[in-house]
Every structure is written in structure tokens, then in C-alpha cells.
Amino acid sequence: MMERQDVQGIFVPLITPFSLDGELDLASYRNYVDNLLSHDIQGLVINGTTGEAPTVRWEEVIQLTKSTQAFLKSKKPSVPVVVGTGTNDTASSVQRTEMAAEIGADAVLVVVPYYSKPSQQGIIEHFRRVAQVGVPVIAYEIPSRTGVSLSMDTARRILDMNGVIGIKDSSDRLELVSELARSGSGPVLCGDDLQFHAKLSQGASGGMLASANVNTQAFIDVYHLFRSGDVIAAQQSFDRVTPLIRKLFQESNPAPLKWILASQGLIASDQLRLPMTSISMELEAELERLLPSFMQS
Ligand SMILES: O=C(O)C1=N[C@H](C(=O)O)C[C@H](O)C1
């Protein structure tokens, strides 16, 4: 199981490949994960936003997790598997976390409960109940999707809980990272791709970045350059991947990402489950033109 000191470096939130009839495409999945494992990544994340958590059934999450674990065992057993178990219902989040524990997840990613707009007290209680299950929890702050933000005090109280090993911060606030780093709480992974370098500068311990599915090595290089103290070289390397990041988030993640992975032949199709749809023809034309430059950066 993961510990606090493991929450650093580059974590890759995985897509969930579907065949044209909308079913799980495990052959594509293995091919795509195999390619990622040629890089020195710190962890794989199943059933995050990038994995289309809202439309992937829990039985499928279990299937993906078992398949990933079996694959990692033969290829790279040291890479931890983080499973998204958070929903907007505390009881079902606890139940999913218990099931993730049963199948040997190394940690769980638990999103701030969305849609209901709970109070800060309700959010704290939600995390307390999930953390009590006993699998290490990475809390996932993404206010643009959940509709509610963690206050600084709530973030600190969640990080202080036994069983919580870190926060993934996909907000656009730099203060959350800087304040938590300053007060010795943490670790915090950046989950807002465009702010990766800025958040490293504020004390983030790494990133959980959808963009790291494409040009993975570039993100690993940014991280290592920064850690080695070469902040300028890290910034320059990061500047080279920002055009890619902008395009990946020009339409809702993971549609552009799936299109790129399908164009690279890593997955058979860019199929998504409704209400998510494939990218527009305009973006497709832009990506076709830009893809070669993205792969060199
Ligand atoms: O799936 C994730 O984890 C991520 N989701 C964010 C989003 O889609 O808004 C972006 C981040 O790169 C990782």
C-alpha cells in the first residue's frame, strides 16, 4: 500500500478504452498501458475523470484494476495502482473503497463529493468515513467539476486524518499548494495540467496529469529538472508542452486525449460513452496538424 512519501512524481490517470459498441476494450487497454510502462512513472490511476468515472460501471472498474494488477505483476510490480472510489454519496464511496481494499488497491482517489454542494463539515465527515476503511486515501479537489471548494482549513483537516496520504489539487488556486506546503501539511499533487510548473514552484510533490498520457517523458523530465534545482530548464521544458496541454483541454477531457491515443494506434478507437462525445472536426484538423510537434517537445 502507498504511504505519504510515495505521493510524488508523475502519476498517470488512465483512459478507459471502449470498442465501437461501447464495451470495455481490454486489448487496447493492455497495449496502451504497456506503452506507458516504458516510462519511469510513479503510479497509475484507474477510474479518475480521465477514465470517465461517471459512466464506467463499478464491475468494470474491478475488471480494469485486476487486469492492470496482473499486467504490472509481470512487467513492473513496483508501480502502484490508485483506484477512483469517490462518489457524491458517502455510503457508496465507503463501500467502493472497501471493495478496492479487497482487490488490493494501493490507494484510492476520492473526489470531493460533487453536485450536492455539501458543507465543509459534511465534506470532512465524508473523508473521515472513507479514510476509516484503511486503504490510503488521496483526496481529489476539482471545484470546476464538483461545484464546491475545499477551504484551507478543511484541506488541512483532511490531510491530518489517519489514512489520508495526500491531496490531488485540480483547482486553479496556487494558494492551496503554497499554504499546505508552508504549514508542512501535504503532499499535494498538481491535477491542473497547465499549472504543473507553477505548482511545483509552490511546493507540489508531483502531478497527476492527463497530459502525461501523451509525451509522458516530457512531464517526467520537467519533474526531475525541477527537483534537481534546475528551475529554469524545468520551465523551458514545460513551456514546450503547454501547446499540447491547451489542445487537450480545449474540449472536455478525455475526448481530445482519446483521439490522440487512437491516432497513435495505442487504442483502437476514440469512442466515449454518452453524454461525452468525440471531438469536433475543427479540433481534429488542428490536432492532425500539431501532433508531430507535440511528440517532439
Ligand atoms: O482524471 C484525472 O485524474 C484528471 N482529470 C482532470 C480533468 O479532467 O479535469 C485533469 C487532470 O489532468 C487529471
Side-chain angles (χ1 to χ4, degrees), residues 4-285:
R4 279 188 177 225
Q5 67 264 25
D6 302 317
V7 184
Q8 56 174 300
I10 301 294
F11 285 73
V12 182
L14 299 170
I15 57 133
T16 306
F18 301 124
S19 50
L20 292 177
D21 61 4
E23 290 307 309
L24 271 193
D25 175 2
L26 286 176
S28 283
Y29 183 73
R30 273 189 281 272
N31 185 49
Y32 146 73
V33 172
D34 191 27
N35 178 65
L36 280 173
L37 292 180
S38 59
H39 302 281
D40 189 19
I41 53 179
Q42 295 310 303
L44 294 174
V45 185
I46 294 167
N47 201 38
T49 314
T50 303
E52 293 174 71
T55 54
V56 175
R57 295 186 293 276
W58 180 250
E59 314 83 77
E60 294 173 324
V61 176
I62 293 187
Q63 230 181 318
L64 287 166
T65 306
K66 287 185 172 168
S67 161
T68 312
Q69 288 166 328
F71 195 53
L72 284 173
K73 202 169 170 190
S74 60
K75 290 264 173 179
K76 261 196 179 173
S78 58
V79 174
V81 175
V82 181
V83 179
T85 59
T87 71
N88 58 349
D89 163 36
T90 305
S92 85
S93 304
V94 167
Q95 199 183 28
R96 284 176 173 219
T97 302
E98 286 168 349
M99 290 188 280
E102 272 166 32
I103 59 170
D106 295 293
V108 291
L109 181 68
V110 178
V111 69
V112 170
Y114 43 87
Y115 188 77
S116 317
K117 296 198 175 176
S119 65
Q120 297 291 310
Q121 192 50 44
I123 296 172
I124 290 169
E125 211 40 53
H126 177 86
F127 280 100
R128 195 184 315 286
R129 302 278 173 101
V130 176
Q132 278 166 355
V133 172
V135 195
V137 171
I138 301 176
Y140 180 12
E141 162 73 334
I142 182 158
S144 62
R145 292 188 188 271
T146 59
V148 63
S149 285
L150 295 181
S151 70
M152 199 62 73
D153 181 55
T154 301
R156 270 201 205 95
R157 288 176 65 183
I158 291 171
L159 271 170
D160 280 350
M161 287 175 194
N162 267 338
V164 175
I165 57 168
I167 288 193
K168 169 189 172 186
D169 174 26
S170 297
S171 74
D172 56 9
R173 293 182 294 168
L174 287 178
E175 318 82 74
L176 190 65
V177 182
S178 55
E179 286 295 313
L180 291 172
R182 217 187 325 272
S183 60
S185 308
V188 181
L189 291 174
C190 171
D192 179 5
D193 303 40
L194 262 186
Q195 295 214 31
F196 181 44
H197 185 271
K199 286 194 178 177
L200 285 176
S201 309
Q202 296 301 317
S205 59
M208 197 179 273
L209 307 165
S211 314
N213 276 283
V214 186
N215 206 337
T216 312
Q217 195 54 47
F219 289 89
I220 294 172
D221 291 347
V222 172
Y223 172 74
H224 285 299
L225 283 167
F226 187 88
R227 278 279 166 268
S228 69
D230 202 341
V231 179
I232 308 259
Q235 177 72 66
Q236 287 166 343
S237 295
F238 186 64
D239 288 346
R240 286 195 286 276
V241 291
T242 54
L244 162 69
I245 299 174
R246 289 188 200 286
K247 287 296 156 204
L248 283 172
F249 289 90
Q250 187 167 312
E251 294 179 12
S252 281
N253 180 46
L257 172 59
K258 278 190 148 178
W259 187 92
I260 291 180
L261 295 173
S263 313
Q264 292 177 313
L266 291 168
I267 56 174
S269 116
D270 69 341
Q271 185 76 26
L272 297 117
R273 281 184 180 161
L274 285 168
M276 297 296 285
T277 53
S278 294
I279 58 171
S280 63
M281 284 167 67
E282 290 78 11
L283 181 57
E284 206 173 303

